[in-house]
Amino acid sequence: MHEAYEVFHLLNATVQIETIAAYDNNLLLGTRQGHLLMYSLSMANGNQKYELQLLRYCKNFSKKPIQQIEVIPEDNLLLCLTDNVLSTYNMNGVNFPIVKTFEQTKGASLFALDNKSTTLMSGESKSLVRLCVAVRRKLQLYQGINGELKQHLYEFTIPDVPKVMAWGQQYLFVGFKSEYVLYDLSSGNPKELFPTSSSKEPTIAKYSETSFLLGRDQSSVLVEESKDPKDETDPKKKTKDIDIKNTIKWSEAPMAVVWDEPFVLGLLADQVVVQTVEPTLFIQTLPELKQARLMYRCKRGLIFVSSVGQVWCLSSVDVTKQIKQLLKDKQFQIAIDLTSLSECTLEEKKQKIHSIQVLHALELFDMKKYSQSMAEFIKLNTDPADVIKLFPELESKSNGEKVEANKLKGKDLESALNALIEYLVKLRANILKASEKPASSQTDTGNGSQRNVTQQLELIDTTLLKCYLQTNDAFVAPLLRLNNCRLEEAEKTLLHHGKYSELIILYQMKGQHMKALQLLREQSKQPDSSLEGYRGTKNYLQQLGAEHINLIFKFSDWILKEHPEEGLKIFTEDIEVVEKLPRPKILDFLLREHEPLVIPYLEHVIHTWNDTDSLFHDALINRYRDKITSKNTNVTDEEVQHTKSKLLTFLEKSIHYTTERVLLHFPTDSLFEERAIMLGKLGRHEQALAIYILILGDVDRAIRYCENVSRAASHKHQDVYVILMRILMNPDQSSSLNGPLANVPRHPKTSVADLETALNILEKHADKISPLKALSVLPDSVPLSRLKHFLESALDGQLTLKRRMQILKGLLYAEHTQIQELKQFHESKSVIINDYNVCPVCKKRFGNQSAFVRYPNGDIVHYSCKLDK
C-alpha cells in the first residue's frame, strides 16, 4: 500500500478542544472553557518527529466556549466566533487584544472566510477578504482589504440555520441539515442542489476556486461552477449553474473532508482515509486517531487532526519517495501530480513529468490499450523512432535475422497496427503543419530529435507502408505517391509482399524509371501479373516526358515490334505530356527502327495535332511517294490507290510543305498529276496545264485548275485561260514540257489542235479573260459571229469598270473638299494666352517659351501635362 502521509501525535490537552485553525507552522486551539492556545510546530532535533512548542496561552480570551476561529496571516488578524458574536483580534498583541466586535452578528452560529493574498509590485503583500456570517436565518456578507471589513448593503434570507458554508467564485455554497443550496452572489437567488446525509452533518471541502466536495451519505460529490455564461437578457431561460464531475466513495459518512492536492482526506471514526479524485483510487488508511472529530489543512502536506483532548498532525511523506513507490505501483497520474507540486525547478519538473508520461504511455501499450498509448505519445511529441521500436515485426531484418522478442500476434497485432497508423498519420500532419510556420516560431517536433522534417517523414511513411501492407493495402498506392518512403526499405518490403503495381509507383516517384521499366518488361511475360502486359509499359512511357526521350525509345522498341498500333500510341496518345515530346527525334527514331509506322505517326502529327512544321509535311509527302513508287510486293494495288488519293488531297490542301524541295525528288516518268499540283503551287501554270492537256489528256481537269487559280488570285492571273487556249490550239508548239518531261509520251487526244474547246472556254469565262490576249492567240479564220458573245461581255466589263472608276473619283473628290473645309474651320480659330492664364493640371502660368496643347473643349494645358490631363 502506498504511504502518502505519516501520523505524528503532538499533544494530550488538559482542556477540551472545541475548534482549531492553523497557518504556516502555527496551530491555534479554541477550547470549550474559552481559552485560546497558540503553538509552533517544529521538527525535533536528531529524529524525524514533530513536536509542538507553546507560544501563547490566553486563559481569559472568552467567558464562553470558542465556537470557530480563522486567521488572516497577511493582516495579523484573528477572527473568532464566541458567545454567538464575531470579533477580530490582533495576532501580534499579548493575549490577542480585541480589534473590533461586529455587534450586528449577535446570534451568529457560523462564518466562512475567503482570503486571497496578492503581492504588489513593491513586494508588499495585500489580502482581499470575503466573509459570510450566518446569523440565525440570514447571511451577512462582508468584504475588505488589509483587514478592514465592511458589510454589504444587502443580506440573504435563508430557510434554516446553516451547518457549513464555503465561498465559490460566483456562488456561496451552503449546507443545511437536509440539503445543499448555492446562492448567486450577484442576486442572492438560491439554487437547490441535492439532499445532505441523513445521519451525519454536511461537509464541504474546497477543491479549487470553482470546485467543491460536498458530503452526501457515504460519498463526497465533486461539483464545479458552470463555465457557461448566464443569459441576462432572458431570465426565464434555464442555465446550468453546477456540473457534477465525480463522486468519491467512503466506507461511512465522513465527519470532515479536506483536499490536499492530489489527495482527498476523509475523517472517519478513529481514522483518516486518503484517496485520489482523478482517478478515483484508495491510497491509504491512517488509524488510531481515537475520537478524532476535527481536521484542518494548514498547508500542502500538513494537516492537523484533533479530538476533544488530543492533537495529531498528518505530514506528507517525502515526495521523491512517494513518486518512486507510485511508479512501482504504476500510478502514473498521481506521480505526475506530486511531481508538479515538488520544490524542484520548473525545467526539472518538466523533464521528470515527461519521463513519467512516457512510462505511462509504455504501460498503456503493455496493457494492450494501444490507441490510448499512441494518443499519449502524440501529446508527448515522442520521437517516432522510439515508438516504432515497440513493433519489432516492423523492424528491418538483416542477414535473415528474425525478430521474435515482444512480437505481437493475431488480433493484438491488428489493433496495435491500427493504433500506430492513427498515431503516424496525426504525427505527419503535425510535422507538416509545423514546417509551414515561419522558422522563428518552429519548435522541435521530435522531443530533442535532430532529424529534419524530410528524415522524419521518410521514417513515418516507410513505417506506414509496412502497416498498410498488413492491415489495408488499399492505402499503399496513395501513400507511395506522397514520395516520402525510403527507397531501399520500401522496395524490399513491396517485393516481399509481391506488390508489383505499388513497386512501380515507388520507382516512378523516386525517379527510378529504368528499374520500373525493367520490372514492367519482366512482368509482361507473366500471365497472372497485375501489370497488364504491354499496357503497363505503354502507360508508364507516356508519363515520362521529353527529358527521358532516350529511355522511351529504348523501352518502346519491344512494344512497337510486338504491338505496333498500340505501341505507336506511346507517341500519339491525346495526353499533354505525349504531345510535348520532341517530334523530330521521334520521326528519326521511327525512320531508323520502325519505318512502317512513319506514315501513321506523321498523319497524326499533321491532321490531329495540326502541326505546321514543314519538316513533317515534306516527310509525309516523301513517304506517300515512296510507298506509291515502291516495288514492294507486300503492298497491294488497293493500298497504292488509297495512298495516291491521300497524296493528291494532301498536296492540294497543305500549304506548309516546301514545294521546290519535294518536287526535286519526284519521278519524271510517273505521278504527273501530283507534279502538276506542285507546279501550280509554284505559279508555273503553263507547265501544270501542259501536263494536264498534253500528258494526261484531261481537259476538264485543266479547266478546273484555271477556275481554282482565277478564284484564288482574282485579276492577277487572268491569263491562265489564255495559256490553256494556246496549248489547246498549238499542242505541237508548246515548249512547256522541255527538260525532264521532254521525253514523256504525249496523250493521243492532243495530236491535233482543239479550236472548238478553246472557243467554248472563251465564251464561258469571258469575264475572266483579257480580250487583247485572247484575240492574239486565236487564228484569223475564226468567224466573228463566234466571238460575238465574248466581245459583248468584254465591252460590258470595260464599261462597268469605267463607271466604277468615275463614281470612285467623285467620292474621293467630295471627301477631299470636306477635309479642306474642316481644315479651314479649325485654322480660323485663335487662342489668346496672357500672363494670367493658368494650366488646369499643374496650376502654373504659361511662360513665353511654353509649349501647350489645346483640347477640343477649349482647355489649354502644358504639353508636358497632357498625359496627366
Side-chain angles (χ1 to χ4, degrees):
M1 183 177 67
H2 174 66
E3 291 187 3
Y5 295 92
E6 294 178 286
V7 180
F8 295 92
H9 184 268
L10 299 177
L11 180 67
N12 286 319
T14 57
V15 291
Q16 293 176 306
I17 301 171
E18 190 71 21
T19 182
I20 63 174
Y23 69 97
D24 297 335
N25 281 333
N26 299 311
L27 173 67
L28 289 99
L29 303 179
T31 70
R32 195 169 296 172
Q33 294 82 4
H35 303 172
L36 183 65
L37 296 87
M38 182 173 179
Y39 293 90
S40 173
L41 181 71
S42 61
M43 186 72 72
N45 293 329
N47 53 39
Q48 298 295 317
K49 281 193 176 183
Y50 285 102
E51 61 180 23
L52 287 177
Q53 181 180 357
L54 183 62
L55 297 180
R56 272 180 275 179
Y57 185 3
C58 184
K59 288 186 178 182
N60 300 321
F61 186 79
S62 174
K63 295 179 181 179
K64 297 287 184 177
I66 299 174
Q67 298 164 265
Q68 184 181 355
I69 53 176
E70 289 288 352
V71 178
I72 306 176
E74 296 82 3
D75 302 324
N76 297 309
L77 206 62
L78 172 69
L79 280 74
C80 177
L81 180 62
T82 180
D83 197 17
N84 299 108
V85 177
L86 180 68
S87 300
T88 56
Y89 301 84
N90 187 348
M91 293 283 293
N92 289 335
V94 178
N95 293 328
F96 305 99
I98 192 166
V99 175
K100 182 180 180 179
T101 298
F102 296 88
E103 297 294 341
Q104 64 270 34
T105 63
K106 190 170 183 180
S109 58
L110 178 70
F111 69 88
L113 178 69
D114 180 45
N115 178 24
K116 291 185 176 65
S117 179
T118 60
T119 303
L120 303 176
M121 293 180 67
S122 61
E124 181 184 355
S125 180
K126 183 173 78 170
S127 63
L128 304 174
V129 177
R130 293 187 298 175
L131 177 68
C132 178
V133 184
V135 182
R136 298 184 181 88
R137 296 191 177 186
K138 289 186 180 295
L139 297 180
Q140 296 178 1
L141 303 180
Y142 298 81
Q143 65 178 9
I145 299 176
N146 295 334
E148 294 291 330
L149 293 170
K150 294 182 180 179
Q151 186 176 2
H152 274 285
L153 295 177
Y154 60 88
E155 57 186 19
F156 298 162
T157 301
I158 53 178
D160 196 1
V161 178
K163 299 296 182 180
V164 64
M165 299 188 300
W167 284 89
Q169 211 166 49
Q170 304 176 56
Y171 302 97
L172 185 71
F173 288 77
V174 180
F176 296 102
K177 184 176 181 181
S178 59
E179 66 177 344
Y180 290 102
V181 179
L182 60 90
Y183 289 89
D184 190 322
L185 292 170
S186 60
S187 64
N189 294 331
K191 172 76 175 179
E192 295 179 2
L193 294 180
F194 47 79
T196 59
S197 174
S198 57
S199 58
K200 295 282 186 178
E201 294 287 314
T203 60
I204 299 179
K206 192 166 187 176
Y207 183 80
S208 71
E209 290 300 320
T210 58
S211 304
F212 295 85
L213 289 161
L214 308 183
R216 182 181 183 183
D217 294 328
Q218 296 179 353
S219 63
S220 292
V221 181
L222 177 61
V223 298
E224 182 179 19
E225 294 182 12
S226 176
K227 296 178 182 177
D228 296 332
K230 294 181 181 179
D231 191 350
E232 301 291 348
T233 61
D234 188 1
K236 296 181 181 179
K237 184 177 179 181
K238 293 184 179 180
T239 57
K240 190 176 181 182
D241 302 303
I242 290 296
D243 296 321
I244 296 178
K245 294 293 185 180
N246 208 343
T247 301
I248 311 300
K249 299 290 184 181
W250 307 98
S251 58
E252 59 181 88
M255 292 175 279
V257 176
V258 298
W259 167 249
D260 187 37
E261 190 177 3
F263 303 111
V264 59
L265 293 85
L267 178 59
L268 279 59
D270 298 336
Q271 64 181 2
V272 170
V273 175
V274 183
Q275 299 192 71
T276 57
V277 177
E278 295 174 335
T280 304
L281 295 171
F282 168 78
I283 299 298
Q284 182 183 14
T285 297
L286 301 168
E288 299 180 5
L289 302 173
K290 291 184 179 180
Q291 298 181 348
R293 65 186 190 89
L294 302 173
M295 185 163 57
Y296 193 99
R297 179 181 181 271
C298 176
K299 60 183 180 181
R300 164 76 193 104
L302 182 61
I303 294 100
F304 289 101
V305 180
S306 167
S307 65
V308 174
Q310 296 187 75
V311 177
W312 300 267
C313 83
L314 311 181
S315 177
S316 174
V317 175
D318 179 64
V319 169
T320 305
K321 183 178 178 182
Q322 283 195 69
I323 292 172
K324 187 176 180 181
Q325 182 60 43
L326 287 167
L327 293 179
K328 187 177 179 181
D329 297 339
K330 298 181 179 179
Q331 298 296 340
F332 301 102
Q333 186 55 52
I334 305 173
I336 290 170
D337 293 340
L338 281 175
T339 303
S340 64
L341 296 170
S342 64
E343 296 179 355
C344 55
T345 64
L346 183 61
E347 188 60 34
E348 288 175 333
K349 283 183 184 180
K350 285 183 179 179
Q351 291 178 359
K352 290 180 179 180
I353 289 173
H354 185 273
S355 299
I356 296 170
Q357 289 172 323
V358 170
L359 290 174
H360 180 210
L362 293 171
E363 175 61 20
L364 288 171
F365 189 88
D366 290 341
M367 294 169 65
K368 300 182 180 180
K369 296 179 179 180
Y370 304 114
S371 294
Q372 292 174 255
S373 174
M374 295 301 145
E376 289 299 315
F377 286 130
I378 279 285
K379 291 178 187 176
L380 297 172
N381 284 333
T382 306
D383 189 330
D386 293 335
V387 178
I388 293 166
K389 286 177 183 176
L390 297 172
F391 297 82
E393 48 280 300
L394 297 179
E395 292 182 14
S396 299
K397 307 174 184 69
S398 57
N399 301 323
E401 177 189 354
K402 293 185 178 180
V403 181
E404 294 294 340
N406 303 320
K407 199 168 183 180
L408 299 170
K409 296 179 182 178
K411 290 287 185 182
D412 289 342
L413 177 59
E414 184 179 352
S415 299
L417 288 176
N418 285 326
L420 179 61
I421 289 169
E422 186 178 356
Y423 161 77
L424 292 171
V425 170
K426 286 182 181 178
L427 182 62
R428 189 212 286 127
N430 293 345
I431 291 172
L432 291 174
K433 187 176 180 181
S435 66
E436 292 171 0
K437 295 179 181 178
S440 58
S441 64
Q442 287 186 25
T443 57
D444 188 6
T445 57
N447 190 31
S449 170
Q450 298 302 311
R451 289 190 185 88
N452 58 33
V453 171
T454 302
Q455 289 174 319
Q456 288 200 35
L457 291 176
E458 283 181 356
L459 175 63
I460 290 169
D461 282 11
T462 304
T463 307
L464 273 173
L465 172 65
K466 298 174 182 178
C467 294
Y468 287 149
L469 286 169
Q470 297 189 54
T471 56
N472 189 345
D473 57 9
F475 292 110
V476 172
L479 175 69
L480 291 171
R481 290 191 178 95
L482 296 174
N483 197 24
N484 293 320
C485 293
R486 294 170 180 163
L487 175 60
E488 292 182 6
E489 200 169 341
E491 179 183 33
K492 185 177 178 182
T493 304
L494 291 169
L495 282 171
H496 176 73
H497 286 83
K499 296 293 182 180
Y500 297 111
S501 297
E502 290 78 3
L503 185 55
I504 294 299
I505 296 173
L506 174 69
Y507 287 147
Q508 187 175 25
M509 299 308 299
K510 294 296 183 182
Q512 299 293 315
H513 304 302
M514 181 75 77
K515 282 187 173 183
L517 291 165
Q518 287 172 343
L519 178 62
L520 284 165
R521 178 69 190 276
E522 293 168 4
Q523 288 296 307
S524 69
K525 299 173 183 176
Q526 304 299 324
D528 57 345
S529 174
S530 61
L531 296 181
E532 306 177 88
Y534 71 88
R535 291 184 182 84
T537 302
K538 183 194 79 172
N539 295 336
Y540 193 98
L541 292 172
Q542 287 175 335
Q543 304 299 325
L544 284 180
E547 63 271 23
H548 300 290
I549 190 64
N550 292 329
L551 201 62
I552 295 173
F553 291 156
K554 179 177 180 180
F555 284 93
S556 66
D557 190 69
W558 70 272
I559 304 178
L560 291 168
K561 288 177 181 176
E562 297 177 16
H563 309 278
E565 288 188 13
E566 288 297 314
L568 187 60
K569 290 182 181 179
I570 295 170
F571 307 107
T572 61
E573 197 76 76
D574 190 18
I575 300 172
E576 185 178 359
V577 178
V578 173
E579 285 191 42
K580 291 182 178 179
L581 292 175
R583 296 170 190 174
K585 289 186 177 181
I586 297 171
L587 176 59
D588 181 63
F589 167 68
L590 294 175
L591 284 168
R592 286 185 287 104
E593 305 294 339
H594 303 279
E595 191 175 354
L597 297 175
V598 172
I599 288 178
Y601 175 72
L602 289 171
E603 287 177 341
H604 185 89
V605 168
I606 294 169
H607 301 315
T608 304
W609 288 340
N610 300 316
D611 197 315
T612 59
D613 192 329
S614 61
L615 171 68
F616 305 118
H617 288 252
D618 291 356
L620 182 57
I621 293 171
N622 290 332
R623 299 317 298 171
Y624 283 152
R625 180 204 67 214
D626 292 346
K627 187 171 182 180
I628 295 168
T629 59
S630 171
K631 304 300 181 182
N632 190 346
T633 56
N634 295 326
V635 180
T636 64
D637 292 340
E638 188 178 348
E639 287 181 288
V640 170
Q641 288 305 316
H642 181 64
T643 305
K644 185 175 177 64
S645 175
K646 289 196 289 184
L647 174 59
L648 286 169
T649 303
F650 187 71
L651 287 171
E652 286 182 344
K653 292 185 176 181
S654 174
I655 59 172
H656 301 294
Y657 58 89
T658 313
T659 313
E660 296 92 335
R661 187 185 306 155
V662 172
L663 190 58
L664 286 174
H665 299 286
F666 261 65
T668 57
D669 57 350
S670 62
L671 302 180
F672 299 114
E673 188 174 0
E674 291 80 357
R675 178 178 286 271
I677 293 172
M678 287 186 281
L679 288 170
K681 294 265 185 171
L682 293 172
R684 289 148 66 173
H685 304 300
E686 187 169 355
Q687 288 181 296
L689 289 169
I691 291 173
Y692 286 126
I693 300 296
L694 302 178
I695 297 177
L696 299 175
D698 191 346
V699 178
D700 291 339
R701 183 68 182 85
I703 293 172
R704 285 202 307 277
Y705 175 88
C706 292
E707 290 173 351
N708 292 337
V709 172
S710 179
R711 187 162 46 246
S714 186
H715 63 280
K716 293 182 181 179
H717 293 287
Q718 290 183 353
D719 55 349
V720 288
Y721 289 100
V722 177
I723 295 171
L724 176 58
M725 291 167 59
R726 184 168 58 243
I727 294 172
L728 286 170
M729 291 186 293
N730 301 289
D732 294 333
Q733 298 178 11
S734 177
S735 60
S736 304
L737 298 181
N738 292 338
L741 300 179
N743 299 322
V744 176
R746 302 301 190 258
H747 196 277
K749 288 172 61 177
T750 62
S751 58
V752 293
D754 190 355
L755 178 61
E756 190 61 31
T757 302
L759 290 173
N760 289 337
I761 292 171
L762 190 63
E763 290 178 352
K764 187 176 181 180
H765 302 284
D767 58 328
K768 300 183 183 70
I769 301 174
S770 170
L772 295 176
K773 291 183 179 180
L775 292 173
S776 67
V777 301
L778 289 174
D780 297 339
S781 60
V782 177
L784 192 59
S785 58
R786 287 298 306 273
L787 301 176
K788 179 184 177 183
H789 174 73
F790 168 68
L791 292 173
E792 288 176 350
S793 178
L795 286 172
D796 287 344
Q798 291 298 319
L799 289 172
T800 301
L801 180 61
K802 180 181 179 181
R803 283 194 295 271
R804 188 182 296 117
M805 291 299 106
Q806 287 174 338
I807 293 170
L808 181 60
K809 179 182 177 182
L811 291 172
L812 290 172
Y813 181 77
E815 184 182 19
H816 173 73
T817 303
Q818 288 178 349
I819 291 172
Q820 289 294 325
E821 291 176 355
L822 187 62
K823 178 173 177 284
Q824 291 174 5
F825 170 75
H826 286 298
E827 287 178 344
S828 67
K829 291 189 176 182
S830 61
V831 177
I832 300 173
I833 298 177
N834 54 39
D835 293 340
Y836 300 103
N837 288 104
V838 176
C839 174
V841 177
C842 66
K843 311 302 181 185
K844 295 181 180 178
R845 299 181 185 279
F846 293 99
N848 291 333
Q849 304 300 321
S850 295
F852 60 87
V853 174
R854 180 183 179 277
Y855 287 94
N857 64 355
D859 287 350
I860 299 171
V861 301
H862 286 107
Y863 182 80
S864 60
C865 297
K866 67 183 178 65
L867 294 177
D868 296 333
K869 173 68 174 176

